[in-house]
């Protein structure tokens, strides 16, 4: 569960960048996160959504990226 430990149970995770692979949401779900907020825009969004759905995690797409390279 990393740094959050038991506090991750029932939490909402927010990211300022999209998830490029489904492993990110899978790790969050295993830690107990129940919802994820992210901008979306990855070519693998469908895979990421499928991983969240399979884990029963709600996912909200903002459509706005704050992270810039």
């Amino acid at each position: 569960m990393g740094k959050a430990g038991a506090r991750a149970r029932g939490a909402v995770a927010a990211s300022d960048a999209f998830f490029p692979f489904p492993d990110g949401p899978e790790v969050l779900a295993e830690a107990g996160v129940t919802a994820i907020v992210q901008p979306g825009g990855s070519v693998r969004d469908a895979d990421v959504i499928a991983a969240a759905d399979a884990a029963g995690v709600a996912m909200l797409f903002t459509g706005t990226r704050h992270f810039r390279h």
Side-chain angles (χ1 to χ4, degrees), residues 7-61:
R7 293 176 295 161
R9 294 256 172 246
V12 174
S15 176
D16 61 351
F18 61 74
F19 287 92
F21 301 100
D23 61 341
E26 290 168 352
V27 168
L28 291 170
E30 289 172 14
V33 168
T34 59
I36 298 171
V37 179
Q38 63 137 324
S42 169
V43 296
R44 294 184 187 88
D45 274 349
D47 297 334
V48 173
I49 293 167
D53 286 346
V57 174
M59 185 173 288
L60 173 77
F61 289 89

